[in-house]
C-alpha cells in the first residue's frame, strides 16, 4: 500500500469511536470493498508497529494502540516521507491541482502529478476533469502536449480573474508558513493604500468587494513581477469612466512607491476596470448627477415583465426595487462585458434561505443572458436575489384583501345588511363581498373565494374555510373575525401534497429518469397538468441546477403553468448525482398560476424543512409519510 493511503486511513481511524468502511470509502471516493481489503493490509503493518485495527459487525472499525512509543515512531516515519500536505479527498486534490497548475509557467507531466498526490492515473484523470470544468468558467483550458504534459492556457486577463477569485476561497495549499506571512503583509499594505485613496475620492464599495479588490491587485502585482502584463483593448478602455481612471492612477502611484516596482500604463486601466465593476452606487445627495439611462430603465422593465410572466408576481409599482436594480446594473454591465465574476460569500445561504427570491432572480437574469449573450453566474444571481427578497418583504406588509361569501338564513336582505356591517368593520381586509342564502351556496364558484361567513350550519362540503357567526355582530365576535382573517392567510403545505404523490423506494440512475417518472405519476393524479410539464421542468434545470444540498433536489417548471399548487415527493432507494451533488430526496413543486397565492409562506416552510439535516436524515431513513406530516406541522407551528 502507498504511504499516502496509509496516512489517509490513519487520519480517519479513531481510538475513541467506530467508523464504517462505507464512510471511509465515501470520504476517499473509492469503493467499500477496496477499503475493506486495504484495511486488512494496513492491519498487518500496524501489528508490527504497536497497534491494530479491530472490526466489529454493525459498528465498523476502531484503532487499538498497544505500544504507544512504537506506534508514534511509525507515524513520524510516515509523515516525514513527504514535504507537503497530501490531499485526502477528490475535492482537496482539485484545489491542490488548481493552485499548482495556475502557478506553473511550463508544462507539467502527468507522472509528476501522480507522484505528488500519490494517486493513480485513473484517479488523477477524474480530478483533472473537474479542474477543466472550473477553468472553463474563466474561458481557460488545460492544454495537453505529447511528451510534455499539461498547462493552463488563456488570456492574461482571464488568468488573473481565475487566480484571484480562486484565492478568495482557498488559502494557499502550496504555500509555506513564511510565504503565507509575506502574503498577509502585502495584502495589508494594499488595503491601507485602497482605504486612503477611497477616502480622498469618496468612492463607495462593499466589504466583500473591497476584500476581492485587494486580492485582484495582489495577483496583478505578482504577475507584473514575473513580467506577465495584461493588454487592454479599446473596447475595455471605453468602459472606464474618467473618475475611475483618476482614482486608479492615484492607487497606481502609491503601489509603485510602496512596492518599489515599475508598472506598465495598461495596468492602470486594469485597476480602473475593477473599480468600475465593484463600485457601490447609491442615489443620494452626494451623487446629484447620477442619471439612469433609458437603456437601463428598459432592461429593468423587461426583467420585471419576465418575472410577472414566469411567477405571476407584479413588481412594476415597487419604485425602490426598480431603482435598486437599475443602480446594480451599472457596475454589472462592466462585469459582464469583461467576463468578471463577482464573488458572493453568502450564495449558499441565499439559495437555501431566500429560495423564492433566488428563483425569481434566475428568471429575471434570463433577460440579461439574452442581452449579453453569456450566462449570468450563480454569484451574480444571488446579488439580484437580495433585491427581490427585500421587495417580497415589502409586499408582505401589504394586507392581502380577501373575497368572502356571507350566508344568512333569513334571506338576502338580512345578508346585505350583514355585508354592509362587514365592509364597515373590516374594510382593510376585504376585496369582494358576496351575499347568498344556504340554498344558492351550492351554485357559488369558489375559484376566487377565500372564506365563507355564515349564520347557519353548512352540512355539505365546500373548498374554503368557514366561520360561523350570529346575525348580530357583538364586540367579542368582531375580535374573533379579525383573528380569523389574520390567522387564515396561510394554508398548510400538507394541503398541496396528495398522499399518492409521496413515493418511496424507487430506483433510478439519472435526474431525467426521476423527473420523467414523477411527471407520469403526477398526471395520473392531476390529469389537467399541461402536456409540456416535463419540458418546462427540464428548461428550468438548464437555467440553473436545482440541487439544494443536504441530499435534496427541488425541480420545478421554469414558469407557473398549472392551475393548482401541488407537490410530488420521491425518496430514492439510493442517492444519484443530480448535477454535481448527490441527491436522494426529490421535492417537485408546481405553483398555481392564479394570483391570490402566498408563495413566500410555501417557500419559507420548504426552506425550513430542507435546511434541517436531522429532518432529511430521518425522512431518508424511515421514508414514512406520517413522519413527513408531523415534521411539516412542527415547522408551521414554529413559524
Amino acid at each position: 500500500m502507498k504511504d499516502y493511503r496509509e496516512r489517509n486511513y490513519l487520519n480517519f481511524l479513531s481510538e475513541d469511536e467506530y467508523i464504517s468502511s462505507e464512510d471511509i470509502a465515501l470520504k476517499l471516493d473509492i469503493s467499500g470493498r477496496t477499503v475493506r481489503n486495504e484495511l486488512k493490509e494496513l492491519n498487518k503493518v500496524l501489528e508490527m508497529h504497536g497497534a491494530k485495527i479491530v472490526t466489529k459487525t454493525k459498528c465498523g472499525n476502531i484503532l487499538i494502540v498497544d505500544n504507544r512509543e512504537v506506534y508514534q515512531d511509525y507515524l513520524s516515519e510516515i509523515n516525514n516521507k513527504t514535504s507537503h500536505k497530501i490531499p485526502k479527498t477528490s475535492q482537496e486534490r482539485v484545489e491542490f491541482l488548481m493552485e499548482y497548475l495556475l502557478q506553473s509557467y511550463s508544462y507539467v507531466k502527468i507522472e509528476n502529478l501522480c507522484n505528488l498526490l500519490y494517486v493513480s492515473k485513473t484517479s488523477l484523470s477524474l480530478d483533472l476533469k473537474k479542474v477543466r470544468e472550473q477553468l472553463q468558467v474563466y474561458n481557460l483550458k488545460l492544454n495537453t502536449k505529447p511528451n510534455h504534459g499539461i498547462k493552463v492556457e488563456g488570456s492574461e486577463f482571464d488568468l488573473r480573474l481565475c487566480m484571484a477569485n480562486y484565492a478568495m476561497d482557498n488559502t494557499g495549499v502550496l504555500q509555506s508558513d513564511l510565504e503565507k506571512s509575506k502574503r498577509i503583509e502585502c495584502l495589508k499594505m494594499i488595503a491601507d493604500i485602497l482605504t486612503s485613496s477611497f477616502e480622498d475620492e469618496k468612492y463607495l464599495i462593499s466589504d466583500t468587494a473591497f476584500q476581492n479588490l485587494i486580492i485582484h491587485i495582489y495577483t496583478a502585482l505578482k504577475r507584473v513581477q514575473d513580467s506577465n502584463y495584461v493588454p487592454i483593448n479599446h473596447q475595455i478602455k471605453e468602459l472606464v469612466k474618467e473618475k475611475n481612471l483618476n482614482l486608479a492612477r492615484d492607487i497606481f502611484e502609491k503601489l509603485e512607491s510602496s512596492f518599489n516596482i515599475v508598472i506598465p500604463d495598461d495596468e492602470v486601466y486594469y485597476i480602473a476596470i475593477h473599480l468600475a465593476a465593484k463600485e457601490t452606487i447609491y442615489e443620494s445627495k452626494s451623487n446629484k448627477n447620477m442619471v439612469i439611462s433609458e437603456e437601463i430603465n428598459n432592461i429593468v422593465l423587461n426583467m420585471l415583465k419576465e418575472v410577472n410572466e414566469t411567477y405571476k408576481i407584479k413588481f412594476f409599482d415597487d419604485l425602490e426595487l426598480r431603482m435598486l436594480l437599475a443602480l446594480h446594473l451599472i457596475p454589472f454591465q462592466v462585469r459582464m462585458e469583461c467576463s468578471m465574476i463577482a464573488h458572493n460569500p453568502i450564495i449558499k445561504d441565499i439559495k437555501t434561505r431566500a429560495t423564492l427570491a433566488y428563483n425569481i432572480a434566475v428568471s429575471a437574469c434570463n433577460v440579461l443572458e439574452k442581452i449579453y449573450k453569456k450566462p449570468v453566474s450563480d454569484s451574480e444571481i444571488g446579488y439580484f436575489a437580495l433585491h427581490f427578497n427585500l421587495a417580497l418583504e415589502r409586499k408582505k406588509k401589504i394586507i392581502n384583501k380577501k373575497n368572502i361569501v356571507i350566508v344568512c338564513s333569513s334571506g338576502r336582505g338580512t345578508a346585505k345588511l350583514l355585508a354592509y356591517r362587514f365592509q364597515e368593520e373590516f374594510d382593510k381586509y376585504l376585496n369582494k363581498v358576496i351575499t347568498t342564502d344556504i340554498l344558492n351556496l351550492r351554485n357559488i364558484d369558489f375559484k376566487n373565494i377565500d372564506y365563507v361567513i355564515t349564520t347557519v350550519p353548512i352540512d355539505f362540503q365546500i373548498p374554503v374555510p368557514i366561520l360561523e357567526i350570529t346575525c348580530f355582530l357583538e364586540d367579542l365576535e368582531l375580535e374573533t373575525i379579525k383573528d380569523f382573517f389574520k390567522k387564515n392567510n396561510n394554508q398548510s403545505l400538507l394541503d398541496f401534497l396528495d398522499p399518492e404523490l409521496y413515493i418511496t423506494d424507487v430506483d433510478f440512475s439519472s435526474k431525467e429518469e426521476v423527473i420523467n417518472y414523477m411527471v407520469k405519476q403526477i398526471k395520473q393524479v392531476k390529469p389537467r397538468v399541461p402536456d409540456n410539464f416535463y419540458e418546462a421542468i427540464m428548461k428550468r434545470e438548464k437555467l440553473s441546477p436545482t440541487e439544494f444540498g443536504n441530499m435534496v433536489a427541488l425541480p420545478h417548471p421554469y414558469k407557473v403553468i398549472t392551475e393548482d399548487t401541488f407537490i410530488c415527493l420521491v425518496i430514492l432507494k439510493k442517492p444519484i448525482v443530480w448535477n454535481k451533488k448527490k441527491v436522494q430526496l426529490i421535492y417537485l413543486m408546481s405553483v398555481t398560476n392564479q394570483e391570490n397565492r402566498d408563495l413566500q409562506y410555501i417557500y419559507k416552510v420548504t426552506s425550513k424543512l430542507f435546511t434541517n439535516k436531522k429532518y432529511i436524515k430521518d425522512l431518508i431513513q424511515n421514508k414514512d409519510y406520517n413522519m413527513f406530516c408531523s415534521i411539516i406541522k412542527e415547522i408551521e407551528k414554529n413559524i
Side-chain angles (χ1 to χ4, degrees):
M1 189 190 304
K2 293 182 178 179
D3 295 334
Y4 86 95
R5 194 84 106 194
E6 289 183 41
R7 195 166 24 254
N8 281 342
Y9 284 130
L10 292 170
N11 283 337
F12 291 129
L13 288 168
S14 167
E15 295 181 56
D16 301 315
E17 59 182 335
Y18 287 90
I19 182 171
S20 70
S21 300
E22 284 68 29
D23 283 345
I24 297 175
L26 194 63
K27 293 174 186 293
L28 293 175
D29 277 348
I30 56 178
S31 70
R33 183 178 179 181
T34 299
V35 170
R36 287 188 288 275
N37 289 337
E38 292 193 340
L39 285 179
K40 288 178 183 177
E41 189 179 335
L42 175 60
N43 194 40
K44 293 176 183 177
V45 176
L46 289 174
E47 286 174 348
M48 295 185 289
H49 294 90
K52 61 187 174 186
I53 300 168
V54 174
T55 303
K56 188 175 180 182
T57 306
K58 294 185 179 180
C59 291
N61 308 285
I62 195 168
L63 182 68
I64 305 295
V65 178
D66 299 319
N67 189 322
R68 182 70 58 185
E69 186 177 346
V70 174
Y71 178 65
Q72 288 297 338
D73 288 343
Y74 165 72
L75 285 183
S76 298
E77 181 186 343
I78 287 290
N79 290 329
N80 289 334
K81 288 184 180 179
T82 179
S83 59
H84 61 275
K85 183 183 176 183
I86 303 298
K88 300 174 188 173
T89 65
S90 176
Q91 181 57 39
E92 288 180 1
R93 289 195 297 272
V94 170
E95 291 172 8
F96 182 99
L97 288 165
M98 282 288 290
E99 185 168 344
Y100 190 88
L101 293 170
L102 284 169
Q103 291 182 13
S104 299
Y105 294 117
S106 57
Y107 284 89
V108 181
K109 290 190 174 183
I110 296 294
E111 291 78 8
N112 292 342
L113 291 174
C114 288
N115 291 333
L116 269 174
L117 295 169
Y118 295 92
V119 294
S120 66
K121 286 186 178 181
T122 303
S123 294
L124 183 67
S125 177
L126 293 173
D127 295 331
L128 287 176
K129 183 181 178 182
K130 296 176 184 176
V131 169
R132 285 188 171 90
E133 289 172 0
Q134 293 191 19
L135 291 173
Q136 195 173 9
V137 174
Y138 299 92
N139 303 311
L140 302 173
K141 62 180 182 179
L142 201 56
N143 193 39
T144 303
K145 190 174 181 181
N147 301 320
H148 287 77
I150 55 177
K151 180 184 176 185
V152 177
E153 291 191 344
S155 73
E156 177 64 19
F157 195 94
D158 291 333
L159 276 166
R160 290 188 188 186
L161 290 179
C162 181
M163 289 175 173
N165 282 333
Y166 190 77
M168 289 293 291
D169 296 313
N170 300 278
T171 54
V173 293
L174 296 177
Q175 290 182 335
S176 65
D177 290 341
L178 179 61
E179 288 171 327
K180 286 179 182 178
S181 178
K182 287 181 178 178
R183 180 176 181 268
I184 291 169
E185 187 180 339
C186 287
L187 294 175
K188 188 178 183 307
M189 287 173 65
I190 295 168
D192 291 341
I193 289 170
L194 292 177
T195 301
S196 170
S197 296
F198 290 168
E199 286 176 354
D200 293 342
E201 297 297 323
K202 294 182 172 57
Y203 174 89
L204 299 175
I205 186 172
S206 71
D207 289 342
T208 300
F210 181 72
Q211 298 299 324
N212 188 269
L213 182 60
I214 294 170
I215 297 293
H216 277 285
I217 291 176
Y218 172 77
T219 303
L221 290 177
K222 294 285 287 182
R223 297 293 290 177
V224 168
Q225 286 174 334
D226 292 334
S227 301
N228 293 293
Y229 310 115
V230 59
I232 303 294
N233 59 37
H234 180 69
Q235 182 185 1
I236 290 180
K237 287 183 179 181
E238 283 189 337
L239 293 171
V240 177
K241 294 180 180 178
E242 191 65 27
K243 65 169 186 175
N244 287 327
L245 194 58
N246 290 335
L247 177 56
R249 288 194 178 104
D250 181 58
I251 294 168
F252 183 82
E253 290 171 5
K254 291 173 181 175
L255 288 170
E256 284 190 318
S257 173
S258 297
F259 289 93
N260 193 25
I261 185 175
V262 177
I263 309 174
D265 290 342
D266 270 359
E267 297 291 339
V268 178
Y269 281 94
Y270 180 76
I271 294 174
I273 278 291
H274 280 282
L275 294 173
K278 291 174 172 59
E279 185 174 10
T280 301
I281 302 171
Y282 293 110
E283 185 192 28
S284 63
K285 291 179 181 178
S286 62
N287 242 334
K288 289 181 181 178
N289 296 325
M290 175 54 62
V291 177
I292 304 299
S293 69
E294 185 179 353
E295 178 193 6
I296 285 183
N297 264 324
N298 287 335
I299 292 173
V300 170
L301 187 60
N302 287 330
M303 290 171 75
L304 298 184
K305 282 180 180 176
E306 182 79 9
V307 170
N308 186 42
E309 289 174 9
T310 306
Y311 284 96
K312 294 292 186 291
I313 302 176
K314 293 178 180 176
F315 290 113
F316 300 111
D317 59 349
D318 191 332
L319 295 179
E320 186 174 348
L321 173 64
R322 292 177 69 163
M323 184 57 69
L324 286 171
L325 290 175
L327 294 174
H328 186 103
L329 283 171
I330 295 171
F332 171 81
Q333 283 184 315
V334 178
R335 293 196 292 272
M336 288 301 279
E337 293 286 353
C338 299
S339 297
M340 299 169 74
I341 298 173
H343 185 76
N344 191 336
I346 59 169
I347 183 60
K348 288 182 180 177
D349 286 334
I350 292 170
K351 281 184 171 184
T352 55
R353 303 189 185 281
T355 312
L356 175 58
Y358 177 80
N359 286 334
I360 289 171
V362 169
S363 172
C365 289
N366 196 29
V367 171
L368 301 176
E369 292 190 354
K370 291 173 184 174
I371 292 171
Y372 296 103
K373 295 180 173 56
K374 60 178 73 172
V376 179
S377 72
D378 253 7
S379 289
E380 291 283 10
I381 293 172
Y383 283 122
F384 281 107
L386 293 176
H387 297 312
F388 282 110
N389 198 50
L390 288 174
L392 287 168
E393 290 298 321
R394 286 193 291 274
K395 267 187 176 293
K396 274 174 65 177
K397 293 177 182 177
I398 301 170
I399 295 174
N400 185 18
K401 293 193 173 186
K402 305 300 180 183
N403 299 323
I404 67 170
V405 174
I406 294 180
V407 183
C408 197
S409 61
S410 45
R412 292 196 177 191
T414 311
K416 283 287 184 186
L417 289 173
L418 201 55
Y420 289 137
R421 183 75 193 279
F422 261 81
Q423 286 169 326
E424 183 182 25
E425 296 287 347
F426 310 112
D427 180 62
K428 70 176 184 179
Y429 295 106
L430 299 178
N431 177 39
K432 186 187 294 184
V433 178
I434 299 170
T435 60
T436 186
D437 53 37
I438 193 72
L439 293 175
N440 287 301
L441 182 60
R442 293 180 186 271
N443 300 323
I444 295 289
D445 181 2
F446 288 97
K447 184 176 181 181
N448 292 312
I449 300 299
D450 296 291
Y451 312 125
V452 166
I453 312 293
T454 180
T455 62
V456 293
I458 298 171
D459 58 4
F460 53 89
Q461 190 170 0
I462 59 175
V464 296
I466 301 169
L467 176 65
E468 289 190 13
I469 61 168
T470 63
C471 287
F472 307 99
L473 291 175
E474 303 294 339
D475 289 344
L476 188 59
E477 276 191 305
L478 292 176
E479 290 302 316
T480 302
I481 294 167
K482 281 183 183 177
D483 288 341
F484 181 78
F485 283 139
K486 289 176 183 177
K487 290 178 181 177
N488 282 278
N489 277 333
N490 302 320
Q491 285 183 280
S492 169
L493 198 71
L494 297 174
D495 296 336
F496 307 119
L497 177 60
D498 189 307
E500 290 185 46
L501 294 179
Y502 186 92
I503 304 162
T504 62
D505 290 322
V506 286
D507 207 357
F508 297 102
S509 59
S510 71
K511 70 177 179 182
E512 290 81 8
E513 289 180 7
V514 178
I515 292 172
N516 186 47
Y517 170 79
M518 294 176 82
V519 169
K520 287 179 179 178
Q521 300 304 308
I522 289 167
K523 286 184 175 181
Q524 289 180 15
V525 178
K526 306 276 183 182
R528 296 171 68 182
V529 166
D531 292 337
N532 66 335
F533 192 56
Y534 174 81
E535 288 74 16
I537 296 169
M538 296 313 296
K539 182 173 180 179
R540 175 60 180 81
E541 289 292 326
K542 288 180 181 177
L543 290 175
S544 177
T546 57
E547 52 195 7
F548 190 82
N550 201 20
M551 300 293 281
V552 173
L554 304 176
H556 56 276
Y558 76 98
K559 63 187 292 185
V560 288
I561 58 172
T562 56
E563 292 183 11
D564 303 320
T565 296
F566 60 81
I567 296 162
C568 176
L569 190 146
V570 163
I571 303 176
L572 302 174
K573 281 185 181 178
K574 57 186 179 182
I576 62 171
V577 176
W578 195 258
N579 189 53
K580 291 182 179 178
K581 298 176 182 176
K582 287 186 176 181
V583 164
Q584 192 165 0
L585 191 152
I586 300 93
Y587 178 97
L588 194 160
M589 181 168 67
S590 182
V591 177
T592 174
N593 54 20
Q594 304 301 315
E595 300 222 355
N596 292 328
R597 312 153 300 165
D598 189 355
L599 291 186
Q600 269 208 289
Y601 177 77
I602 294 172
Y603 278 95
K604 188 172 184 178
V605 176
T606 302
S607 176
K608 294 281 186 185
L609 170 64
F610 294 126
T611 53
N612 189 304
K613 290 186 177 179
K614 184 180 184 306
Y615 287 158
I616 300 307
K617 184 179 179 182
D618 288 346
L619 284 174
I620 288 174
Q621 285 182 347
N622 296 292
K623 302 180 176 66
D624 183 62
Y625 175 72
N626 292 326
M627 172 181 282
F628 176 80
C629 294
S630 63
I631 288 172
I632 296 299
K633 287 175 183 176
E634 180 182 329
I635 292 169
E636 292 183 334
K637 182 181 178 182
N638 291 335
I639 290 176

